Amino acid sequence: MAVYEHDVLVVGAGLAGMRATIAAISSGANAAMITKVHPVRSHSNAAQGGINAALTSRGDTWDDHALATVKGSDYLGDQDAIEVMCSEAGDTLIELEHMGVIFNRDDDGRLGTRRFGGQSVARTFFVADITGQALLHVLYEQIIKSEARIYEEWFVTSLVMIDGQCRGVVALELMTGQIHLIKAKAVILATGGCGRVYEPSTNGLIVTGDGIAMAYRAGATLMDMEMIQYHPTTLKGNGVLMTEAARGEGAYLLNSEGDRFMEKYAPNMMELASRDVVSRAEQTEINEGRGVDGCVLLDLRHLGREVIETKLSYINEVALDFVNVNLAEQPVPIRPGCHYIMGGIKTDVDGVTSIPGLYAAGECANVSVHGGNRLGANSLLDTIVFGRRSGLAATAYAKEIGESRVPESVIDVDVQYIKTLMSRESSNDSWAKIRREMGDSMNEHVAVFRNEEGMQAGLKNIIKLKERFSRLEVKDHSEVFNTSLLFTLELGYMLDLAESICVSALSRKESRGAHFRIDMPERDDKNWLKHTTVHISPDGPKIDYLPVVITQWEPQVRSY
Amino acid sequence: MQVTLNIKRFNPESEQPFPYEEEFNVEVEEHFTVLDSLIKVREEIDESLTLRCSCRASICGSCSMRVQGHAKLACKTKIIEVMDSEKRIKIEPMTNQPVVKDLVVDMKLFWDKIRDVRPWLQPEGPEPENEYIASNEAMIHLTGVMGCIMCGACVSDCTVLEVDNNFLGPAALAKAYRFVGDPRDGASKDRLKELSKYSGIWDCTRCYECVEVCPKGVAPMERIMVLRDKAIVAGFDGNYGARHTEAFSSLVEHSGWLDELRMIPKTFGMFNPLSLGPLMGMIPVGLRAFRRGKMPPIFHKSIPGVKNVRRIFKKLEARK
């Protein structure tokens, strides 16, 4: 058996993973990346609107950005972490520009800005409406330059745990179907979110929460898993994202009566209130009969053709392709849709998790900078700032920690499990059916508006689906590029996460951020200004709580 | 509505590992894309159907394949726009790259070529404390190339790669353009020098396939043409490609139409010892042309309005 060994192994090759790898290599580590898809296929691609940063060189202040983020989080974000993210944002942005990102400019040739939700000033830097793609491809350029080893189209099936420490991963090489051991002194999870637990979702089909689930199974603490962001503007039908930048550039939200209904819900910020607020407003309009065929309308007509074609060209293409709407001529039907998870693997500001040797960064981690609700364009910033920091911290750890004997037999459990999946009796059930039912149930019961009864029903559904999954066979028995096996393994991860989301949501007896209970509609700072944590136990997910870190901003009434 | 998908499949593990075609009848909605229909097959009919896909919104670049004989992104291609009158759609893996299984190809060659153009920004001089100052026009212009999602459609359908896989190909050359066109890059001259060599910009035959099939409007061939101009301006004009271009325009400027006979020595270089081989190689071509009465005239006459042609050239030169 081939032996693979590194100081630092990064799982996932989106923005956080690539930034972590670059940081680890530049600080002298033998670092490699392992990813189930080619790096530029990663879902960071789909981020459209931009990246936030307060540039002090032009008079902006980072604590204003931090305050906006704290308020956006509905005071659930840890303020020490938010301070780190916002104070490092300026340098992070300039570093990206120096790497080669082709940010749009102002008339003087300096970096240009646009407005974004929840921010008092324009501090969102952007590349048209393909900012994520532009960043991802530039970071991949830097990865090519670094000559980092990439295990491409390898799927991690479990973390290797020796004496309570993470010492590497077990992975399935898709091209051959072989299972390998990759040893590492430190592992950084940067596998993104788990949006595909929901159906529909703005997320790509690959966004299945693998890293969060493997950390959970290995005993790591997850935090605030109930905080699922519904993006206010996702396309009717297939649920593809229509960037917040449309509203940042001035687009309106209209109901069936042609009113800018946000007036009622957020008279100051209007369409640029935070995402949880706008999504709830839309859903209320739809529920009260002022929707249009289950949607409301996003109207860009008054922005003019030039703005649409230069600054919003991608969503213009998407609207034409999928719903045959020309944004300059017609409003486009949109609705709230599952987009992002604020929760994830609990980490500190250096990506350190509750397991020694295991780090996490990006959407799979919860630092926590987004708390109950993430502001638009803060996620790209999160990936780069904390990707870099976790790369540095993991390298420092790897240099300190001694060697450990990792027996090759650690792969046996996964080899055996896959054999079992392949040899189960054939049935009429399929990964696709279970996945669909899980997604539909989550979207019905643990969505924009929640209540006790619904969430209980949702949890019950997931437990039943887990039972069905435990009998499910893989129908394709081939070795080369067996996606049937891959999707089954992913589904196993997702069901664990769906359960942890339901249990976490049921435990929070108040409304905060994205977690809105119609049976408990008030925020309750006295009892619930705290994080929910969840970890695995023989009796299922076990809930606990942690205090929120407050440094300088006491909770206030939140209105936009 | 029911449509018929004729999918070219390949299972490397079967006893007879040859590609074969399999027909699937699927019920689709009017708004379905080719990808939607393939996912339907995979989820409801045959779990073993293998393809790459993720974002469903033409940004991740995973799902390139040949649809009705041309490379397309399956997620961006509507069924009703490509099916034939019998509601059939032919779906095959990309070409110019080895097939791994069904619609999945091995893109190693693609990425090797991207790597070959040294695809990272190489600025000159000390880094500024803040951002580099650059015009918005320059950045917006580059956005057109950065819009490339590396899906491989252009490489699949490139007619040069079909006969010579040393060619850097449309995707890698478009990527190179992104740096040559970047005002912050300091290595443009070196890049143009490298790109002017064999397998670079002069190997494109301008067949337009890459422009046709690119799902993102990157127009690789047009970028290659701009690279050619820039290379000549930068002084890299000593190769056959650049000399061919120079010869073509100087001959047309001189007589108003192409003097094919003089084109050959002008391209290869009359007194260049290295061109002796290629020149000799043209002799049989010349003889065959002569036998079939297609030999260009030895005395090449100018067209009547040649003065006007020269005026056009002058105006264009002045514009540079």
Side-chain angles (χ1 to χ4, degrees), chain A residues 100 105 153 314 321 480 484, chain B residues 13 47 52 57 78 132 178:
Chain A
R105 308 281 158 153
E153 297 192 316
Y314 172 64
D321 282 350
V480 176
S484 177
Chain B
E13 294 166 69
E47 266 192 27
R52 292 191 182 102
K78 284 245 180 78
Y132 286 96
R178 169 250 182 289

Side-chain angles (χ1 to χ4, degrees), chain A residues 360-375:
Chain A
E363 192 175 342
C364 72
N366 182 359
V367 186
S368 92
V369 286
H370 308 305
N373 170 70
R374 175 176 68 78
L375 292 184

